[in-house]
Amino acid sequence: LNIPTSFVSGGPMEAGDFDGKGIDLIDAMVMSADSRCSDADIEKIERWACPGCGSCSGMFTANSMNCLNEALGLALPGNGTIVATHTNRRRLFEKAASLIVQMAGRYYFEGDDSVLPRNIATKAAFGNAMSLDIAMGGSTNTVLHLLAIAHEAKVDITLDDIDQMSRKTPQLAKLNPASSVFITDLNAVGGIQTVIRELSKGGHIN
């Protein structure tokens, strides 16, 4: 539906804690299959791997797409990284609701169609989202989702475009599960906007 929209996710989950080390759901799966782990440790990690609400705390599909929505221009800054349990997530809901009302007014009463998703999520915006994805090492499922969204938006983006961008875009952030740095750590240093600013310095953002 090409109507005034601002996406707001429920937010990422905080990382769990296992003897002072950050963990997530994948760690629980890996350790439960490791014969060197005691039943007591497995029970402990299962209990603490998911400490609260939100999508799994690594750069898996949900968090990756919520980050890319910021680059597409279809979500406000913070959508990808503000944790589900933080009061700033509630503020984000309120800001998004206010923005949708403003955009609806501009479109329905002033005839301003620049606020519609298909005029925001342009080919350049999809390029920005792909650059961000590559720079952050997001879930490979984002390729499927970005191509599907581009198809719906009637934007001509192909796997070849993604391949070409992947050969020139640097990886700037290596987050869990590729490292022990969590999405909450990225949020603490400015979130997605920080990565976008760094990409922009290198000419990788339109």
Side-chain angles (χ1 to χ4, degrees):
L1 295 176
N2 196 32
I3 59 175
T5 300
S6 181
F7 288 99
V8 192
S9 72
M13 184 186 299
E14 294 175 73
D17 184 284
F18 180 73
D19 294 338
K21 176 192 170 193
I23 57 169
D24 66 14
L25 185 62
I26 300 302
D27 292 299
M29 294 178 189
V30 170
M31 287 184 72
S32 66
D34 188 340
S35 60
R36 296 169 297 176
C37 293
S38 68
D39 289 345
D41 278 350
I42 291 171
E43 183 179 356
K44 188 175 180 181
I45 202 169
E46 285 176 346
R47 187 177 301 277
W48 295 109
C50 297
C53 61
S55 47
C56 293
S57 57
M59 282 301 288
F60 306 112
T61 306
N63 289 335
S64 295
M65 288 306 301
N66 290 326
C67 291
L68 299 194
N69 265 332
E70 291 187 41
L72 275 174
L74 298 179
L76 289 170
N79 181 64
T81 61
I82 298 173
V83 293
T85 52
H86 200 287
T87 189
N88 281 345
R89 178 61 57 176
R90 178 173 181 158
R91 293 188 187 117
L92 194 63
F93 292 139
E94 293 167 350
K95 284 183 184 176
S98 176
L99 179 62
I100 290 170
V101 171
Q102 292 173 39
M103 291 192 300
R106 283 171 58 182
Y107 176 64
Y108 292 109
F109 299 122
E110 300 172 24
D112 180 2
D113 65 0
S114 70
V115 300
L116 298 180
R118 283 190 180 138
N119 292 329
I120 295 170
T122 60
K123 185 162 186 172
F126 274 93
N128 290 343
M130 288 176 194
S131 288
L132 177 66
D133 194 24
I134 294 162
M136 294 183 63
S139 165
T140 51
N141 282 341
T142 54
V143 174
L144 300 174
H145 292 309
L146 278 176
L147 290 175
I149 296 166
H151 176 76
E152 288 297 318
K154 298 179 171 55
V155 173
D156 182 23
I157 297 287
T158 67
L159 273 174
D160 285 339
D161 295 322
I162 297 172
D163 178 57
Q164 288 174 26
M165 292 188 74
S166 74
R167 295 174 188 276
K168 63 182 182 181
T169 305
Q171 185 180 33
L172 301 178
K174 191 172 184 180
L175 303 178
N176 176 273
S179 78
S180 58
V181 179
F182 286 85
I183 202 161
T184 48
D185 300 312
L186 177 61
N187 186 61
V189 295
I192 296 310
Q193 300 306 304
T194 299
V195 182
I196 289 175
R197 271 196 302 273
E198 290 301 312
L199 284 169
S200 184
K201 290 176 186 176
H204 301 289
I205 291 290
N206 186 316

